[in-house]
mmCIF file of all heavy atoms in Angstrom:
data_model
loop_
_atom_site.group_PDB
_atom_site.id
_atom_site.type_symbol
_atom_site.label_atom_id
_atom_site.label_comp_id
_atom_site.label_asym_id
_atom_site.label_seq_id
_atom_site.Cartn_x
_atom_site.Cartn_y
_atom_site.Cartn_z
ATOM 1 N N MET X 27 -19.261 4.790 5.255
ATOM 2 C CA MET X 27 -18.698 6.153 5.467
ATOM 3 C C MET X 27 -17.513 6.004 6.357
ATOM 4 O O MET X 27 -16.413 6.600 6.138
ATOM 5 C CB MET X 27 -19.700 7.084 6.124
ATOM 6 C CG MET X 27 -20.814 7.415 5.166
ATOM 7 S SD MET X 27 -20.345 8.495 3.810
ATOM 8 C CE MET X 27 -20.105 7.321 2.511
ATOM 9 N N GLU X 28 -17.469 5.190 7.364
ATOM 10 C CA GLU X 28 -16.397 5.000 8.238
ATOM 11 C C GLU X 28 -15.195 4.351 7.460
ATOM 12 O O GLU X 28 -14.053 4.784 7.637
ATOM 13 C CB GLU X 28 -16.775 4.025 9.483
ATOM 14 C CG GLU X 28 -15.632 3.789 10.411
ATOM 15 C CD GLU X 28 -16.042 2.853 11.466
ATOM 16 O OE1 GLU X 28 -17.282 2.693 11.772
ATOM 17 O OE2 GLU X 28 -15.175 2.179 12.096
ATOM 18 N N VAL X 29 -15.502 3.322 6.694
ATOM 19 C CA VAL X 29 -14.459 2.643 5.937
ATOM 20 C C VAL X 29 -13.953 3.564 4.853
ATOM 21 O O VAL X 29 -12.722 3.487 4.540
ATOM 22 C CB VAL X 29 -15.085 1.308 5.337
ATOM 23 C CG1 VAL X 29 -14.189 0.697 4.363
ATOM 24 C CG2 VAL X 29 -15.397 0.315 6.445
ATOM 25 N N LYS X 30 -14.737 4.369 4.268
ATOM 26 C CA LYS X 30 -14.296 5.328 3.205
ATOM 27 C C LYS X 30 -13.233 6.291 3.827
ATOM 28 O O LYS X 30 -12.277 6.590 3.322
ATOM 29 C CB LYS X 30 -15.455 6.077 2.709
ATOM 30 C CG LYS X 30 -15.019 7.155 1.763
ATOM 31 C CD LYS X 30 -16.242 7.997 1.284
ATOM 32 C CE LYS X 30 -15.771 9.145 0.344
ATOM 33 N NZ LYS X 30 -16.801 10.180 0.091
ATOM 34 N N GLU X 31 -13.613 6.770 5.166
ATOM 35 C CA GLU X 31 -12.669 7.697 5.771
ATOM 36 C C GLU X 31 -11.315 6.998 6.035
ATOM 37 O O GLU X 31 -10.204 7.589 5.910
ATOM 38 C CB GLU X 31 -13.277 8.262 7.180
ATOM 39 C CG GLU X 31 -14.387 9.222 6.918
ATOM 40 C CD GLU X 31 -15.033 9.584 8.176
ATOM 41 O OE1 GLU X 31 -14.546 9.215 9.288
ATOM 42 O OE2 GLU X 31 -16.116 10.220 8.086
ATOM 43 N N ARG X 32 -11.385 5.767 6.440
ATOM 44 C CA ARG X 32 -10.212 5.038 6.737
ATOM 45 C C ARG X 32 -9.381 4.879 5.425
ATOM 46 O O ARG X 32 -8.119 5.004 5.471
ATOM 47 C CB ARG X 32 -10.540 3.552 7.289
ATOM 48 C CG ARG X 32 -9.434 2.624 7.621
ATOM 49 C CD ARG X 32 -8.434 3.221 8.584
ATOM 50 N NE ARG X 32 -7.311 2.520 8.686
ATOM 51 C CZ ARG X 32 -6.402 2.626 9.714
ATOM 52 N NH1 ARG X 32 -6.556 3.455 10.612
ATOM 53 N NH2 ARG X 32 -5.337 1.872 9.692
ATOM 54 N N TYR X 33 -10.021 4.505 4.329
ATOM 55 C CA TYR X 33 -9.283 4.464 3.100
ATOM 56 C C TYR X 33 -8.667 5.803 2.720
ATOM 57 O O TYR X 33 -7.510 5.747 2.277
ATOM 58 C CB TYR X 33 -10.291 3.953 1.998
ATOM 59 C CG TYR X 33 -9.558 4.117 0.624
ATOM 60 C CD1 TYR X 33 -8.578 3.150 0.201
ATOM 61 C CD2 TYR X 33 -9.996 5.094 -0.260
ATOM 62 C CE1 TYR X 33 -7.913 3.304 -0.984
ATOM 63 C CE2 TYR X 33 -9.322 5.203 -1.547
ATOM 64 C CZ TYR X 33 -8.289 4.409 -1.846
ATOM 65 O OH TYR X 33 -7.659 4.511 -3.059
ATOM 66 N N GLU X 34 -9.394 6.801 2.740
ATOM 67 C CA GLU X 34 -8.852 8.142 2.489
ATOM 68 C C GLU X 34 -7.664 8.478 3.291
ATOM 69 O O GLU X 34 -6.612 9.046 2.807
ATOM 70 C CB GLU X 34 -9.902 9.267 2.500
ATOM 71 C CG GLU X 34 -10.919 9.135 1.462
ATOM 72 C CD GLU X 34 -12.080 10.043 1.719
ATOM 73 O OE1 GLU X 34 -12.265 10.619 2.881
ATOM 74 O OE2 GLU X 34 -12.918 10.205 0.789
ATOM 75 N N MET X 35 -7.711 8.147 4.640
ATOM 76 C CA MET X 35 -6.533 8.372 5.436
ATOM 77 C C MET X 35 -5.327 7.480 5.063
ATOM 78 O O MET X 35 -4.218 7.996 4.981
ATOM 79 C CB MET X 35 -6.922 8.017 6.962
ATOM 80 C CG MET X 35 -5.792 8.354 7.906
ATOM 81 S SD MET X 35 -6.242 8.101 9.686
ATOM 82 C CE MET X 35 -6.346 6.422 9.690
ATOM 83 N N ASP X 36 -5.633 6.160 4.866
ATOM 84 C CA ASP X 36 -4.548 5.271 4.416
ATOM 85 C C ASP X 36 -3.907 5.725 3.037
ATOM 86 O O ASP X 36 -2.761 5.587 2.874
ATOM 87 C CB ASP X 36 -4.993 3.823 4.360
ATOM 88 C CG ASP X 36 -5.205 3.169 5.674
ATOM 89 O OD1 ASP X 36 -4.776 3.761 6.663
ATOM 90 O OD2 ASP X 36 -5.808 2.126 5.817
ATOM 91 N N ASN X 37 -4.728 6.296 2.290
ATOM 92 C CA ASN X 37 -4.226 6.680 0.871
ATOM 93 C C ASN X 37 -3.333 7.836 1.107
ATOM 94 O O ASN X 37 -2.329 7.987 0.445
ATOM 95 C CB ASN X 37 -5.408 7.052 -0.053
ATOM 96 C CG ASN X 37 -4.960 7.206 -1.411
ATOM 97 O OD1 ASN X 37 -4.055 6.551 -1.965
ATOM 98 N ND2 ASN X 37 -5.568 8.196 -2.121
ATOM 99 N N LYS X 38 -3.740 8.722 1.902
ATOM 100 C CA LYS X 38 -2.872 9.913 2.198
ATOM 101 C C LYS X 38 -1.561 9.570 2.830
ATOM 102 O O LYS X 38 -0.473 10.068 2.500
ATOM 103 C CB LYS X 38 -3.616 10.925 3.252
ATOM 104 C CG LYS X 38 -4.683 11.733 2.507
ATOM 105 C CD LYS X 38 -5.394 12.658 3.499
ATOM 106 C CE LYS X 38 -6.572 13.346 2.796
ATOM 107 N NZ LYS X 38 -7.270 14.137 3.782
ATOM 108 N N VAL X 39 -1.540 8.614 3.791
ATOM 109 C CA VAL X 39 -0.394 8.152 4.413
ATOM 110 C C VAL X 39 0.533 7.496 3.389
ATOM 111 O O VAL X 39 1.735 7.842 3.364
ATOM 112 C CB VAL X 39 -0.735 7.120 5.608
ATOM 113 C CG1 VAL X 39 0.563 6.353 6.084
ATOM 114 C CG2 VAL X 39 -1.372 7.888 6.730
ATOM 115 N N HIS X 40 -0.046 6.589 2.565
ATOM 116 C CA HIS X 40 0.819 6.003 1.591
ATOM 117 C C HIS X 40 1.355 6.995 0.544
ATOM 118 O O HIS X 40 2.556 6.849 0.157
ATOM 119 C CB HIS X 40 -0.016 4.891 0.738
ATOM 120 C CG HIS X 40 0.703 4.312 -0.421
ATOM 121 N ND1 HIS X 40 1.789 3.439 -0.211
ATOM 122 C CD2 HIS X 40 0.501 4.503 -1.808
ATOM 123 C CE1 HIS X 40 2.224 3.161 -1.419
ATOM 124 N NE2 HIS X 40 1.495 3.728 -2.297
ATOM 125 N N THR X 41 0.633 7.947 0.148
ATOM 126 C CA THR X 41 1.139 8.939 -0.717
ATOM 127 C C THR X 41 2.319 9.777 -0.022
ATOM 128 O O THR X 41 3.302 10.010 -0.792
ATOM 129 C CB THR X 41 -0.001 9.954 -1.133
ATOM 130 O OG1 THR X 41 -1.032 9.296 -1.732
ATOM 131 C CG2 THR X 41 0.512 11.013 -2.075
ATOM 132 N N ALA X 42 2.169 10.058 1.106
ATOM 133 C CA ALA X 42 3.184 10.764 1.949
ATOM 134 C C ALA X 42 4.477 9.805 1.963
ATOM 135 O O ALA X 42 5.634 10.313 1.660
ATOM 136 C CB ALA X 42 2.776 11.175 3.245
ATOM 137 N N PHE X 43 4.331 8.598 2.242
ATOM 138 C CA PHE X 43 5.509 7.693 2.442
ATOM 139 C C PHE X 43 6.118 7.566 1.000
ATOM 140 O O PHE X 43 7.324 7.489 0.903
ATOM 141 C CB PHE X 43 5.035 6.314 2.904
ATOM 142 C CG PHE X 43 5.119 6.238 4.412
ATOM 143 C CD1 PHE X 43 4.190 6.667 5.194
ATOM 144 C CD2 PHE X 43 6.205 5.505 4.949
ATOM 145 C CE1 PHE X 43 4.235 6.532 6.590
ATOM 146 C CE2 PHE X 43 6.308 5.356 6.289
ATOM 147 C CZ PHE X 43 5.319 5.862 7.149
ATOM 148 N N LYS X 44 5.338 7.390 -0.029
ATOM 149 C CA LYS X 44 5.939 7.262 -1.411
ATOM 150 C C LYS X 44 6.572 8.495 -1.850
ATOM 151 O O LYS X 44 7.741 8.458 -2.400
ATOM 152 C CB LYS X 44 4.717 6.955 -2.378
ATOM 153 C CG LYS X 44 5.171 6.483 -3.664
ATOM 154 C CD LYS X 44 4.116 6.017 -4.570
ATOM 155 C CE LYS X 44 4.565 5.474 -5.919
ATOM 156 N NZ LYS X 44 3.556 4.981 -6.725
ATOM 157 N N GLU X 45 6.112 9.652 -1.495
ATOM 158 C CA GLU X 45 6.855 10.879 -1.940
ATOM 159 C C GLU X 45 8.101 10.971 -1.027
ATOM 160 O O GLU X 45 9.152 11.402 -1.611
ATOM 161 C CB GLU X 45 5.962 12.127 -1.547
ATOM 162 C CG GLU X 45 4.759 12.245 -2.551
ATOM 163 C CD GLU X 45 3.795 13.387 -2.125
ATOM 164 O OE1 GLU X 45 4.015 13.986 -1.045
ATOM 165 O OE2 GLU X 45 2.786 13.520 -2.831
ATOM 166 N N HIS X 46 8.029 10.661 0.162
ATOM 167 C CA HIS X 46 9.320 10.670 0.947
ATOM 168 C C HIS X 46 10.357 9.689 0.434
ATOM 169 O O HIS X 46 11.507 10.004 0.313
ATOM 170 C CB HIS X 46 9.002 10.294 2.443
ATOM 171 C CG HIS X 46 10.208 10.252 3.352
ATOM 172 N ND1 HIS X 46 10.877 11.406 3.613
ATOM 173 C CD2 HIS X 46 10.786 9.274 3.978
ATOM 174 C CE1 HIS X 46 11.912 11.117 4.434
ATOM 175 N NE2 HIS X 46 11.870 9.766 4.732
ATOM 176 N N LEU X 47 9.966 8.509 0.026
ATOM 177 C CA LEU X 47 10.848 7.546 -0.519
ATOM 178 C C LEU X 47 11.503 8.027 -1.789
ATOM 179 O O LEU X 47 12.719 7.910 -2.076
ATOM 180 C CB LEU X 47 10.171 6.251 -0.794
ATOM 181 C CG LEU X 47 10.933 5.150 -1.515
ATOM 182 C CD1 LEU X 47 12.107 4.781 -0.692
ATOM 183 C CD2 LEU X 47 10.054 3.977 -1.817
ATOM 184 N N THR X 48 10.654 8.725 -2.659
ATOM 185 C CA THR X 48 11.109 9.162 -3.904
ATOM 186 C C THR X 48 12.183 10.284 -3.646
ATOM 187 O O THR X 48 13.196 10.300 -4.368
ATOM 188 C CB THR X 48 9.903 9.806 -4.797
ATOM 189 O OG1 THR X 48 8.927 8.666 -5.005
ATOM 190 C CG2 THR X 48 10.384 10.279 -6.133
ATOM 191 N N PHE X 49 11.884 11.148 -2.782
ATOM 192 C CA PHE X 49 12.811 12.236 -2.370
ATOM 193 C C PHE X 49 14.101 11.724 -1.852
ATOM 194 O O PHE X 49 15.186 12.162 -2.271
ATOM 195 C CB PHE X 49 12.155 13.202 -1.397
ATOM 196 C CG PHE X 49 13.019 14.269 -0.898
ATOM 197 C CD1 PHE X 49 13.147 15.380 -1.639
ATOM 198 C CD2 PHE X 49 13.708 14.263 0.346
ATOM 199 C CE1 PHE X 49 14.039 16.475 -1.260
ATOM 200 C CE2 PHE X 49 14.504 15.234 0.709
ATOM 201 C CZ PHE X 49 14.676 16.332 -0.046
ATOM 202 N N ALA X 50 14.016 10.685 -1.013
ATOM 203 C CA ALA X 50 15.202 10.093 -0.424
ATOM 204 C C ALA X 50 15.988 9.325 -1.508
ATOM 205 O O ALA X 50 17.193 9.507 -1.476
ATOM 206 C CB ALA X 50 14.787 9.043 0.628
ATOM 207 N N LYS X 51 15.374 8.707 -2.466
ATOM 208 C CA LYS X 51 16.145 8.046 -3.509
ATOM 209 C C LYS X 51 16.828 9.124 -4.466
ATOM 210 O O LYS X 51 17.984 8.875 -4.693
ATOM 211 C CB LYS X 51 15.140 7.192 -4.417
ATOM 212 C CG LYS X 51 14.813 5.942 -3.798
ATOM 213 C CD LYS X 51 13.927 5.108 -4.711
ATOM 214 C CE LYS X 51 13.471 3.794 -4.215
ATOM 215 N NZ LYS X 51 12.610 3.068 -5.173
ATOM 216 N N LYS X 52 16.121 10.146 -4.721
ATOM 217 C CA LYS X 52 16.696 11.192 -5.623
ATOM 218 C C LYS X 52 17.896 11.926 -4.934
ATOM 219 O O LYS X 52 18.868 12.190 -5.575
ATOM 220 C CB LYS X 52 15.653 12.207 -6.059
ATOM 221 C CG LYS X 52 14.716 11.670 -7.046
ATOM 222 C CD LYS X 52 13.716 12.872 -7.414
ATOM 223 C CE LYS X 52 12.633 12.243 -8.419
ATOM 224 N NZ LYS X 52 11.657 13.282 -8.675
ATOM 225 N N ASN X 53 17.803 12.137 -3.692
ATOM 226 C CA ASN X 53 18.739 12.896 -2.884
ATOM 227 C C ASN X 53 19.796 12.075 -2.105
ATOM 228 O O ASN X 53 20.601 12.652 -1.392
ATOM 229 C CB ASN X 53 18.093 13.883 -2.008
ATOM 230 C CG ASN X 53 17.253 14.919 -2.825
ATOM 231 O OD1 ASN X 53 17.621 15.377 -3.788
ATOM 232 N ND2 ASN X 53 16.020 15.111 -2.405
ATOM 233 N N ALA X 54 19.738 10.743 -2.265
ATOM 234 C CA ALA X 54 20.620 9.939 -1.465
ATOM 235 C C ALA X 54 22.138 10.167 -1.773
ATOM 236 O O ALA X 54 22.935 10.302 -0.960
ATOM 237 C CB ALA X 54 20.314 8.391 -1.698
ATOM 238 N N ASP X 55 22.291 10.318 -3.092
ATOM 239 C CA ASP X 55 23.702 10.496 -3.543
ATOM 240 C C ASP X 55 24.200 11.904 -3.158
ATOM 241 O O ASP X 55 25.355 12.102 -2.733
ATOM 242 C CB ASP X 55 23.841 10.260 -5.075
ATOM 243 C CG ASP X 55 23.585 8.926 -5.425
ATOM 244 O OD1 ASP X 55 23.929 8.004 -4.639
ATOM 245 O OD2 ASP X 55 23.189 8.593 -6.581
ATOM 246 N N SER X 56 23.377 12.925 -3.400
ATOM 247 C CA SER X 56 23.728 14.317 -3.128
ATOM 248 C C SER X 56 23.911 14.547 -1.583
ATOM 249 O O SER X 56 24.825 15.289 -1.244
ATOM 250 C CB SER X 56 22.799 15.328 -3.688
ATOM 251 O OG SER X 56 21.537 15.169 -3.136
ATOM 252 N N LEU X 57 23.086 14.000 -0.803
ATOM 253 C CA LEU X 57 23.204 14.177 0.645
ATOM 254 C C LEU X 57 24.229 13.284 1.203
ATOM 255 O O LEU X 57 24.929 13.719 2.085
ATOM 256 C CB LEU X 57 21.847 13.849 1.335
ATOM 257 C CG LEU X 57 20.657 14.749 0.991
ATOM 258 C CD1 LEU X 57 19.422 14.307 1.653
ATOM 259 C CD2 LEU X 57 20.919 16.201 1.394
ATOM 260 N N GLY X 58 24.372 12.086 0.681
ATOM 261 C CA GLY X 58 25.401 11.197 1.014
ATOM 262 C C GLY X 58 25.184 10.603 2.555
ATOM 263 O O GLY X 58 26.043 9.804 2.995
ATOM 264 N N LYS X 59 24.156 11.003 3.136
ATOM 265 C CA LYS X 59 23.947 10.455 4.504
ATOM 266 C C LYS X 59 22.873 9.372 4.609
ATOM 267 O O LYS X 59 22.602 8.891 5.686
ATOM 268 C CB LYS X 59 23.505 11.569 5.491
ATOM 269 C CG LYS X 59 24.637 12.661 5.646
ATOM 270 C CD LYS X 59 24.150 13.689 6.494
ATOM 271 C CE LYS X 59 25.197 14.762 6.680
ATOM 272 N NZ LYS X 59 24.899 15.924 7.514
ATOM 273 N N ILE X 60 22.344 9.085 3.488
ATOM 274 C CA ILE X 60 21.245 8.007 3.444
ATOM 275 C C ILE X 60 21.862 6.798 2.958
ATOM 276 O O ILE X 60 22.250 6.675 1.820
ATOM 277 C CB ILE X 60 20.068 8.479 2.585
ATOM 278 C CG1 ILE X 60 19.418 9.771 3.060
ATOM 279 C CG2 ILE X 60 18.989 7.445 2.546
ATOM 280 C CD1 ILE X 60 18.378 10.428 2.232
ATOM 281 N N SER X 61 21.922 5.778 3.766
ATOM 282 C CA SER X 61 22.548 4.452 3.477
ATOM 283 C C SER X 61 21.538 3.634 2.533
ATOM 284 O O SER X 61 20.301 3.783 2.642
ATOM 285 C CB SER X 61 23.004 3.697 4.735
ATOM 286 O OG SER X 61 21.819 3.268 5.302
ATOM 287 N N PRO X 62 22.058 2.690 1.813
ATOM 288 C CA PRO X 62 21.182 1.723 1.131
ATOM 289 C C PRO X 62 20.188 1.037 2.055
ATOM 290 O O PRO X 62 19.154 0.729 1.726
ATOM 291 C CB PRO X 62 22.152 0.812 0.454
ATOM 292 C CG PRO X 62 23.445 1.512 0.385
ATOM 293 C CD PRO X 62 23.436 2.467 1.513
ATOM 294 N N LEU X 63 20.691 0.744 3.280
ATOM 295 C CA LEU X 63 19.869 0.099 4.180
ATOM 296 C C LEU X 63 18.659 0.951 4.648
ATOM 297 O O LEU X 63 17.553 0.527 4.761
ATOM 298 C CB LEU X 63 20.662 -0.304 5.535
ATOM 299 C CG LEU X 63 20.017 -1.146 6.539
ATOM 300 C CD1 LEU X 63 19.507 -2.483 5.942
ATOM 301 C CD2 LEU X 63 20.891 -1.402 7.750
ATOM 302 N N GLU X 64 18.840 2.200 4.756
ATOM 303 C CA GLU X 64 17.824 3.270 5.111
ATOM 304 C C GLU X 64 16.887 3.249 4.012
ATOM 305 O O GLU X 64 15.739 3.247 4.163
ATOM 306 C CB GLU X 64 18.476 4.548 5.366
ATOM 307 C CG GLU X 64 17.372 5.578 5.731
ATOM 308 C CD GLU X 64 16.740 5.391 7.107
ATOM 309 O OE1 GLU X 64 17.202 4.575 7.931
ATOM 310 O OE2 GLU X 64 15.754 5.984 7.322
ATOM 311 N N ILE X 65 17.353 3.321 2.758
ATOM 312 C CA ILE X 65 16.461 3.292 1.467
ATOM 313 C C ILE X 65 15.523 2.057 1.556
ATOM 314 O O ILE X 65 14.394 2.044 1.274
ATOM 315 C CB ILE X 65 17.303 3.434 0.263
ATOM 316 C CG1 ILE X 65 18.016 4.793 0.220
ATOM 317 C CG2 ILE X 65 16.428 3.248 -0.972
ATOM 318 C CD1 ILE X 65 17.151 6.012 0.032
ATOM 319 N N THR X 66 16.197 0.919 1.774
ATOM 320 C CA THR X 66 15.433 -0.369 1.818
ATOM 321 C C THR X 66 14.378 -0.364 2.971
ATOM 322 O O THR X 66 13.259 -0.765 2.781
ATOM 323 C CB THR X 66 16.475 -1.602 2.065
ATOM 324 O OG1 THR X 66 17.437 -1.499 1.041
ATOM 325 C CG2 THR X 66 15.753 -2.869 2.067
ATOM 326 N N ARG X 67 14.764 0.209 4.112
ATOM 327 C CA ARG X 67 13.723 0.419 5.217
ATOM 328 C C ARG X 67 12.503 1.260 4.758
ATOM 329 O O ARG X 67 11.428 0.914 5.006
ATOM 330 C CB ARG X 67 14.433 0.996 6.430
ATOM 331 C CG ARG X 67 13.530 1.067 7.608
ATOM 332 C CD ARG X 67 13.997 1.815 8.784
ATOM 333 N NE ARG X 67 14.311 3.225 8.476
ATOM 334 C CZ ARG X 67 13.401 4.198 8.481
ATOM 335 N NH1 ARG X 67 12.123 3.859 8.795
ATOM 336 N NH2 ARG X 67 13.679 5.457 8.280
ATOM 337 N N LEU X 68 12.891 2.391 4.049
ATOM 338 C CA LEU X 68 11.825 3.245 3.542
ATOM 339 C C LEU X 68 10.968 2.459 2.586
ATOM 340 O O LEU X 68 9.702 2.671 2.452
ATOM 341 C CB LEU X 68 12.383 4.495 2.985
ATOM 342 C CG LEU X 68 13.066 5.473 3.939
ATOM 343 C CD1 LEU X 68 13.720 6.593 3.224
ATOM 344 C CD2 LEU X 68 11.978 6.097 4.846
ATOM 345 N N GLU X 69 11.584 1.629 1.702
ATOM 346 C CA GLU X 69 10.804 0.873 0.708
ATOM 347 C C GLU X 69 9.890 -0.081 1.406
ATOM 348 O O GLU X 69 8.690 -0.295 0.934
ATOM 349 C CB GLU X 69 11.797 0.124 -0.253
ATOM 350 C CG GLU X 69 12.477 1.059 -1.116
ATOM 351 C CD GLU X 69 13.544 0.293 -2.044
ATOM 352 O OE1 GLU X 69 13.963 -0.883 -1.621
ATOM 353 O OE2 GLU X 69 13.970 0.862 -3.078
ATOM 354 N N LEU X 70 10.443 -0.762 2.346
ATOM 355 C CA LEU X 70 9.536 -1.706 3.142
ATOM 356 C C LEU X 70 8.382 -0.974 3.837
ATOM 357 O O LEU X 70 7.210 -1.460 3.821
ATOM 358 C CB LEU X 70 10.333 -2.541 4.237
ATOM 359 C CG LEU X 70 11.356 -3.471 3.592
ATOM 360 C CD1 LEU X 70 12.173 -4.070 4.647
ATOM 361 C CD2 LEU X 70 10.615 -4.555 2.800
ATOM 362 N N GLU X 71 8.619 0.160 4.390
ATOM 363 C CA GLU X 71 7.540 0.922 5.039
ATOM 364 C C GLU X 71 6.515 1.388 4.071
ATOM 365 O O GLU X 71 5.279 1.396 4.297
ATOM 366 C CB GLU X 71 8.199 2.126 5.810
ATOM 367 C CG GLU X 71 8.863 1.743 7.070
ATOM 368 C CD GLU X 71 9.590 2.866 7.829
ATOM 369 O OE1 GLU X 71 9.565 3.977 7.201
ATOM 370 O OE2 GLU X 71 9.931 2.679 8.892
ATOM 371 N N THR X 72 7.014 1.842 2.857
ATOM 372 C CA THR X 72 6.093 2.261 1.869
ATOM 373 C C THR X 72 5.247 1.037 1.288
ATOM 374 O O THR X 72 4.015 1.191 1.044
ATOM 375 C CB THR X 72 6.830 2.881 0.637
ATOM 376 O OG1 THR X 72 7.600 3.955 1.187
ATOM 377 C CG2 THR X 72 5.878 3.372 -0.434
ATOM 378 N N ALA X 73 5.915 -0.122 1.164
ATOM 379 C CA ALA X 73 5.133 -1.310 0.776
ATOM 380 C C ALA X 73 4.148 -1.668 1.865
ATOM 381 O O ALA X 73 2.967 -2.029 1.517
ATOM 382 C CB ALA X 73 6.147 -2.516 0.607
ATOM 383 N N GLU X 74 4.460 -1.483 3.154
ATOM 384 C CA GLU X 74 3.429 -1.797 4.137
ATOM 385 C C GLU X 74 2.307 -0.824 4.086
ATOM 386 O O GLU X 74 1.156 -1.283 4.191
ATOM 387 C CB GLU X 74 4.112 -1.601 5.509
ATOM 388 C CG GLU X 74 3.247 -1.879 6.702
ATOM 389 C CD GLU X 74 3.936 -1.665 8.049
ATOM 390 O OE1 GLU X 74 5.103 -1.287 8.052
ATOM 391 O OE2 GLU X 74 3.298 -1.985 9.057
ATOM 392 N N THR X 75 2.481 0.431 3.769
ATOM 393 C CA THR X 75 1.396 1.407 3.736
ATOM 394 C C THR X 75 0.558 1.115 2.541
ATOM 395 O O THR X 75 -0.673 1.308 2.488
ATOM 396 C CB THR X 75 1.828 2.872 3.662
ATOM 397 O OG1 THR X 75 2.727 3.051 2.582
ATOM 398 C CG2 THR X 75 2.595 3.246 4.977
#
Side-chain angles (χ1 to χ4, degrees):
M27 293 290 94
E28 179 184 341
V29 171
K30 177 185 175 191
E31 288 174 11
R32 177 65 187 189
Y33 169 72
E34 289 171 349
M35 184 179 68
D36 284 347
N37 192 37
K38 287 178 185 177
V39 168
H40 174 68
T41 302
F43 269 80
K44 192 170 183 179
E45 288 172 0
H46 180 66
L47 175 63
T48 303
F49 178 79
K51 282 181 177 180
K52 286 181 182 176
N53 297 317
D55 294 332
S56 62
L57 296 175
K59 295 181 181 178
I60 302 175
S61 70
L63 186 60
E64 181 68 16
I65 296 291
T66 303
R67 184 187 65 81
L68 290 172
E69 288 173 341
L70 290 173
E71 287 176 349
T72 304
E74 181 182 4
T75 61

